[in-house]
Amino acid sequence: MNPSWYASGKQISYSDHCASTVLEATPNVYSKTTLPLSGYQVGYYTGGRNILGPSSSSKSNSFSFLVCDVYKTNHDGVLKVEANLRFGILGYYYYDGGDYMYGQACLGATPIKAAYVPHGAKGDPLSLDVVLKLNNVSNSTDVTSLFTGILEGLSPPDDKNYFDAISLLMFPRRNYKYNLVFGELSNGKSNIPLGIAPKSGSFCSAFRQLGRALYLKYAPDCSPVKICTPISGPSGYLPPIMSLDGISCSEGERKMRVLLRFSNDSNFRYHGKFNPNSMLVGEAMWDENKNRLQIKACQINVAGSFSTARVEDCSVRIELVFPGVWSIEKRDGILGHIWSEKSEKDLGFFPDIMFRGTRSSFRKFPDLKYKYTETERVRKLCPGKNDLKSGREKYPNWYSRDMRFYMLVKNSEGEIGRGYSYPLFVGNQMYRQYAYSMPVSRHENSTVDSHLTSSSNSRFNISYHIGFTGLQHVKRTNKNASYNQSWSSNDRVKISAEGVYNAETGDLCMVGCKSVVLTGEKQIDRSPDCEILIRLQFPPLSKKKQDHIVGTIESTRNPSDPLHFERQSVTSDSPYMEEVRRSIRGMDLELSLVLASSTFLCIFIGLQILHVKKHPEVVPFVSIAMLVILTLGHVFPLVLNFEALFLDERNRRHSSLGSGQWLETNEVVVRVAMMIAFLMQFHLLQRTWVARKKDGVGAGLWFQEKKALIVSLLLYGIGALVAIIFSWRSRSDDRAIDTASSTTDDRGFSILGGLKCYVGLILDGFLLPQILLNVFRNSSERALSSSFYLGTTLVRLLPHGYDLYRARTYSPQFHGSYLYGTPDRDFYSTAWDVITPLGGLVFAAIVFLQQRFYGACIMPKRSRNSVAYQMVTAMVDDVPL
């Protein structure tokens, strides 16, 4: 926000607009106090079309009211308030961009007068003269209390700053007294099962987001002419979803104030508008004797505008429990019902409504248990493997974070769905997938499956939740069978599964119950398909023979059954936690190697500069082409790092791995070192260029340089063609392997990518132009210091040796996080990692021999004489007549 928006505008007379409501008084700035609406308050509005836009087109009709300071005045009961009013908040607890309005306010006991309210729907500040008045601001509040008010402009209707009055509504948050629920409330008629209680001290946290999506089931005899809901709405309107949000909570009393919303959309809680006609407000109380939450709710009557809203008719009762035992077919986190305390003849009566919720804070309920009901069927469908190699490899611990994973589901037609799977229970112990630390001992906190093993203690009962979305298409033989329809990427497939995990072989075999919610379809009761078999094979921790999870989801029904579907393959490349930790440590090491390489390059270049200063006569014999290659080799990483820093910071893989500030700090140091190396290399190039221009035999050297450059470019062109063909064929082989193993890889081959790697190969062989220049010149001058050409060669070749180590140590899943020896800047493979260092060392040895003997010493004897003749001819041409 622009701070100038807070600038004081022209003063508005308080006595002219507010004194009739609250007496004007002189504030005592040294005596502060509080109000029931002190602090941060969320409210809702209607109106203000002229400046806030039509409320029907906005996703949110929320505002915030923040009381900054409250002062006593010279009149008892009259206070001065300074506050900020802001429109355009998305959702119930969240901020978002939009239309904003700020004001410095002066409050008596009831009204607020805004002296200056700037507004800019299009980014331009707009000065508005307004008056804000709030009603029912009292020291104590209850369920019927609402802060209502109106924000009015003082401009005439024909003025450009005129706007429709804005009606306001807020729920008080402070000094609330529970008077709706107390004692022991009567139970409803429904026979919902006994539930369990949250752990001590977690009442408010367990119920803060109690029901994000509670699915309603109405009485079967509901009709368009019958009232079946506790909210007002069009005839026959039966919203399928209800959410329950906490407004405020008392941990000591185990009571909370709740807001219940009814809608057609499960996401309305976050993106929907506040509509009092589809909401109830009430109080909730925990019944410790029966372990259930009792709620008494009231309707919100809005007679025309929010400013006249009131709470009335508190005859709606709600009761919900948290089932204490889950199974493969019963995994509802919440069960409950809604009923009316009125008699059937009374106006506003409605039949009982059942509801259930699959999501809840069930980890707040330590007494939750799981009952395995498919043990016999699992034993028949999932016989234990007699693996003679078991015990040689280590597989994920059954209670580790490695048991949860993202996955891809692929059908026979190649269509793919994406999802996530995680355990719910291992044995009788709840799986805490978000716990920071988890057991690693092979026999700690686990239950042995006595039904499925006789002599082995490595097989464990386990239950899973599997969910995925995506383009899936199964065989359709019956148009009335919903499971045989194709479903789009927005549809949801959920599988409740239970079975056995073998910790010695990594084999997970389960039976499951599948349910599908089609796009645009309401969540309705439908019997799930429980004839599902899921087989998954976890790779060993070493990932030597297998590097990703593979498996299948298939139907055990007869192919002629309408619910039968073709087998679907499952793959997952989710890394193990130890791999993630190892990768982060590897990133630290790689960044250190990059820093060390840049530092040593600076040292080696500095030694070469000292060498040419000490022996200026050899400067012209340094290959200009070689120095250009080395200089450009320093430029490219700097450009790529610049782009990574400023253009693609969000997508850097190491940030998602949480490697911390250490990496970011050292990256700056690395860039500085690379810049220094570039400047030193450029200085060496400039010095050589100047010396070549001044030297008496410069023409002959330029002639030999051109010949060396032409041969180098010819060799580079041939090498580029060979490298591209070789990489393309290697890529084709990799794709064939991936296809056979049903894996996917989005790293397609490109000529540009191959050429980028080939540039790295040219840098690895940077001595080629110098070698050719020495051959054509047949010189023996020590143009290069041994520390320069040998040290630079080692710096260029060290990444290939590290890549051999990395291939055996780190998972290929983290190739995107490589900082040293990155695969997109050079050719890296087992073959290249051997060939390239050997070639680089051969080049360094040739330079050593050339400077010790003469440039053409590596050529055949016949070729030496030809080179010598050409050299003499060039020298004669350089002699002035």
Side-chain angles (χ1 to χ4, degrees):
M1 279 309 127
N2 190 335
S4 65
W5 288 16
Y6 287 98
S8 176
K10 64 181 181 180
Q11 295 297 318
I12 302 174
S13 173
Y14 183 89
S15 59
D16 292 345
H17 301 285
C18 297
S20 60
T21 306
V22 175
L23 180 68
E24 187 171 12
T26 303
N28 182 357
V29 295
Y30 300 102
S31 180
K32 293 186 177 182
T33 184
T34 60
L35 279 178
L37 50 71
S38 292
Y40 180 80
Q41 189 82 29
V42 176
Y44 308 93
Y45 72 91
T46 58
R49 178 185 179 90
N50 310 58
I51 58 173
L52 298 178
S55 58
S56 59
S57 64
S58 174
K59 289 185 177 181
S60 171
N61 59 339
S62 305
F63 71 88
S64 69
F65 188 79
L66 178 62
V67 175
C68 302
D69 291 298
V70 181
Y71 303 96
K72 293 182 179 180
T73 68
N74 59 340
H75 289 281
D76 293 339
V78 179
L79 307 173
K80 177 188 176 182
V81 173
E82 295 178 356
N84 290 330
L85 179 64
R86 173 181 176 179
F87 291 86
I89 300 176
L90 177 63
Y92 193 63
Y93 291 113
Y94 301 91
Y95 289 98
D96 190 37
D99 300 321
Y100 301 102
M101 186 176 296
Y102 285 79
Q104 291 182 337
C106 185
L107 176 73
T110 306
I112 294 180
K113 172 203 152 221
Y116 178 71
V117 183
H119 166 73
K122 297 181 180 180
D124 299 324
L126 181 64
S127 179
L128 302 175
D129 298 332
V130 302
V131 171
L132 173 62
K133 298 180 180 181
L134 293 180
N135 304 312
N136 306 321
V137 182
S138 57
N139 289 326
S140 62
T141 59
D142 57 27
V143 71
T144 62
S145 301
L146 295 174
F147 293 161
T148 59
I150 189 170
L151 180 70
E152 298 177 308
L154 300 180
S155 302
D158 58 349
D159 190 278
K160 65 177 183 178
N161 291 338
Y162 173 81
F163 63 91
D164 297 336
I166 301 175
S167 299
L168 307 175
L169 170 63
M170 291 183 283
F171 294 100
R173 294 179 180 273
R174 297 171 61 93
N175 302 331
Y176 186 85
K177 295 183 178 179
Y178 293 92
N179 58 11
L180 198 62
V181 290
F182 54 87
E184 184 174 351
L185 298 178
S186 59
N187 296 327
K189 301 176 183 179
S190 176
N191 296 322
I192 57 177
L194 295 177
I196 53 177
K199 60 184 178 181
S200 177
S202 63
F203 174 79
C204 292
S205 61
F207 298 137
R208 184 174 292 116
Q209 294 182 345
L210 179 61
R212 288 173 286 183
L214 302 174
Y215 299 98
L216 306 178
K217 181 181 179 181
Y218 294 92
D221 58 345
C222 283
S223 63
V225 296
K226 186 176 182 180
I227 298 177
C228 290
T229 68
I231 60 173
S232 58
S235 178
Y237 175 59
L238 300 176
I241 299 172
M242 177 184 73
S243 77
L244 194 153
D245 295 299
I247 300 176
S248 60
C249 184
S250 172
E251 186 71 47
E253 297 181 87
R254 284 203 162 191
K255 294 181 179 180
M256 66 185 303
R257 204 154 44 120
V258 296
L259 185 67
L260 299 104
R261 306 185 180 198
F262 296 79
S263 176
N264 290 320
D265 184 6
S266 59
N267 293 321
F268 74 101
R269 179 177 177 269
Y270 302 102
H271 306 293
K273 293 183 59 177
F274 180 85
N275 179 12
N277 293 326
S278 63
M279 299 182 181
L280 301 174
V281 62
E283 295 178 0
M285 177 184 68
W286 183 256
D287 187 339
E288 295 183 358
N289 296 326
K290 299 178 181 178
N291 283 342
R292 57 188 61 192
L293 193 69
Q294 302 276 9
I295 302 174
K296 200 166 187 179
C298 315
Q299 295 180 343
I300 304 175
N301 187 346
V302 180
S305 70
F306 285 4
S307 59
T308 58
R310 62 182 184 274
V311 176
E312 59 186 20
D313 190 6
C314 300
S315 62
V316 178
R317 288 290 313 281
I318 302 172
E319 186 177 60
L320 59 86
V321 300
F322 300 87
V325 179
W326 285 9
S327 66
I328 191 172
E329 296 188 28
K330 296 180 179 179
R331 293 189 181 180
D332 292 324
I334 300 173
L335 291 176
H337 67 123
I338 309 171
W339 75 95
S340 174
E341 291 183 328
K342 297 180 178 181
S343 63
E344 294 187 20
K345 298 181 180 179
D346 293 337
L347 181 65
F349 172 84
F350 59 90
D352 288 7
I353 304 172
M354 305 298 297
F355 65 82
R356 60 182 180 85
T358 56
R359 298 179 180 179
S360 69
S361 302
F362 64 89
R363 290 175 179 81
K364 300 291 184 179
F365 299 83
D367 295 332
L368 181 62
K369 304 297 181 183
Y370 190 90
K371 182 179 181 181
Y372 296 91
T373 59
E374 300 293 337
T375 302
E376 292 299 323
R377 191 155 70 101
V378 169
R379 183 170 59 180
K380 295 177 181 178
L381 295 174
C382 306
K385 293 182 179 179
N386 295 322
D387 192 349
L388 299 178
K389 297 183 180 180
S390 64
R392 297 183 182 181
E393 292 279 7
K394 292 184 178 181
Y395 291 87
N397 180 277
W398 51 90
Y399 196 69
S400 67
R401 281 185 274 183
D402 298 327
M403 299 300 292
R404 63 190 188 192
F405 54 89
Y406 291 95
M407 65 180 188
L408 296 178
V409 181
K410 184 178 180 180
N411 63 13
S412 58
E413 298 181 5
E415 296 170 324
I416 297 175
R418 295 171 175 84
Y420 185 65
S421 299
Y422 59 89
L424 294 175
F425 283 81
V426 179
N428 290 324
Q429 184 178 5
M430 186 184 302
Y431 180 86
R432 302 182 183 277
Q433 64 167 325
Y434 300 111
Y436 180 75
S437 60
M438 306 185 76
V440 294
S441 172
R442 290 182 61 85
H443 302 290
E444 181 181 357
N445 297 327
S446 300
T447 301
V448 176
D449 179 12
S450 59
H451 295 284
L452 301 178
T453 180
S454 56
S455 59
S456 173
N457 60 353
S458 63
R459 293 163 61 83
F460 301 92
N461 285 332
I462 193 168
S463 62
Y464 258 84
H465 171 82
I466 302 174
F468 57 91
T469 62
L471 294 173
Q472 302 290 325
H473 185 82
V474 295
K475 184 176 64 176
R476 181 172 181 174
T477 57
N478 185 344
K479 65 179 181 180
N480 296 321
S482 62
Y483 290 99
N484 293 329
Q485 301 173 5
S486 62
W487 57 87
S488 72
S489 58
N490 293 324
D491 300 327
R492 302 186 304 276
V493 181
K494 298 180 180 180
I495 299 178
S496 301
E498 67 176 53
V500 176
Y501 173 66
N502 190 329
E504 289 190 353
T505 62
D507 179 65
L508 174 62
C509 185
M510 301 180 291
V511 297
C513 293
K514 182 182 74 171
S515 59
V516 180
V517 180
L518 304 179
T519 301
E521 183 184 75
K522 301 177 182 179
Q523 183 85 13
I524 59 177
D525 285 342
R526 182 188 288 119
S527 298
D529 177 11
C530 291
E531 300 296 326
I532 307 293
L533 178 63
I534 303 106
R535 294 181 181 272
L536 298 173
Q537 177 64 54
F538 286 81
L541 296 179
S542 64
K543 290 195 173 180
K544 293 180 179 179
K545 299 180 180 180
Q546 178 185 342
D547 61 1
H548 56 274
I549 300 172
V550 295
T552 59
I553 300 175
E554 57 185 294
S555 174
T556 59
R557 296 178 180 272
N558 190 288
S560 61
D561 193 299
L563 297 183
H564 178 269
F565 60 90
E566 298 296 332
R567 176 181 296 178
Q568 300 168 344
S569 63
V570 177
T571 59
S572 173
D573 60 357
S574 294
Y576 290 150
M577 292 306 300
E578 182 58 30
E579 290 181 285
V580 175
R581 298 189 185 99
R582 192 185 306 124
S583 177
I584 294 175
R585 293 194 298 267
M587 291 166 63
D588 295 339
L589 173 61
E590 291 184 12
L591 194 57
S592 300
L593 290 174
V594 173
L595 180 58
S597 298
S598 300
T599 304
F600 278 113
L601 280 177
C602 293
I603 295 174
F604 298 143
I605 297 171
L607 292 175
Q608 176 66 16
I609 294 175
L610 292 177
H611 175 73
V612 297
K613 284 184 177 180
K614 186 176 180 180
H615 305 282
E617 71 278 2
V618 302
V619 178
F621 300 99
V622 178
S623 171
I624 297 291
M626 178 194 69
L627 295 180
V628 170
I629 290 174
L630 289 175
T631 304
L632 293 177
H634 291 294
V635 171
F636 292 149
L638 286 173
V639 173
L640 293 175
N641 274 309
F642 181 87
E643 292 178 351
L645 177 64
F646 294 102
L647 302 180
D648 203 20
E649 182 73 16
R650 297 187 306 270
N651 295 328
R652 289 188 299 172
R653 180 68 174 269
H654 70 269
S655 297
S656 65
L657 292 176
S659 50
Q661 294 294 327
W662 189 90
L663 274 177
E664 297 179 5
T665 303
N666 279 273
E667 281 186 348
V668 176
V669 178
V670 167
R671 293 188 185 101
V672 172
M674 294 172 66
M675 178 61 73
I676 294 174
F678 162 71
L679 294 176
M680 295 178 67
Q681 190 72 61
F682 184 78
H683 172 72
L684 182 60
L685 172 62
Q686 184 184 31
R687 177 182 286 271
T688 306
W689 182 277
V690 173
R692 181 77 65 83
K693 298 287 280 187
K694 291 182 179 179
D695 192 81
V697 292
L701 285 172
W702 282 116
F703 176 73
Q704 305 297 344
E705 183 81 45
K706 290 178 182 177
K707 291 177 63 177
L709 179 60
I710 292 173
V711 175
S712 298
L713 292 177
L714 180 62
L715 294 176
Y716 289 154
I718 297 173
L721 183 61
V722 172
I724 290 175
I725 294 176
F726 178 81
S727 298
W728 177 77
R729 293 187 63 180
S730 299
R731 181 63 188 161
S732 299
D733 293 341
D734 291 342
R735 284 186 178 275
I737 294 174
D738 290 342
T739 303
S741 60
S742 300
T743 61
T744 59
D745 191 347
D746 58 357
R747 293 175 291 153
F749 173 78
S750 67
I751 296 179
L752 179 60
L755 291 177
K756 286 175 61 178
C757 294
Y758 186 65
V759 169
L761 184 62
I762 293 176
L763 286 170
D764 293 337
F766 70 97
L767 288 174
L768 178 62
Q770 183 68 52
I771 294 174
L772 294 175
L773 178 62
N774 292 343
V775 169
F776 291 127
R777 184 68 186 174
N778 200 21
S779 62
S780 60
E781 289 83 357
R782 293 189 59 194
L784 304 180
S785 67
S786 58
S787 59
F788 173 72
Y789 70 81
L790 184 58
T792 304
T793 298
L794 292 177
V795 169
R796 287 298 312 173
L797 302 183
L798 185 59
H800 291 276
Y802 176 77
D803 186 63
L804 289 173
Y805 161 78
R806 180 171 56 193
R808 295 176 175 271
T809 307
Y810 304 124
S811 171
Q813 298 159 307
F814 295 100
H815 69 91
S817 66
Y818 293 163
L819 303 175
Y820 183 69
T822 53
D824 61 340
R825 299 185 192 178
D826 207 335
F827 290 113
Y828 290 99
S829 67
T830 302
W832 282 113
D833 291 341
V834 174
I835 295 173
T836 304
L838 289 178
L841 293 176
V842 169
F843 280 8
I846 291 174
V847 172
F848 171 78
L849 294 174
Q850 288 178 329
Q851 295 188 162
R852 185 173 178 84
F853 301 106
Y854 50 91
C857 67
I858 62 172
M859 303 291 292
K861 187 174 182 179
R862 182 179 302 177
S863 300
R864 295 179 197 171
N865 297 331
S866 175
V867 171
Y869 172 77
Q870 294 178 11
M871 180 184 70
V872 172
T873 302
M875 292 178 65
V876 170
D877 293 339
D878 288 340
V879 176
L881 297 176

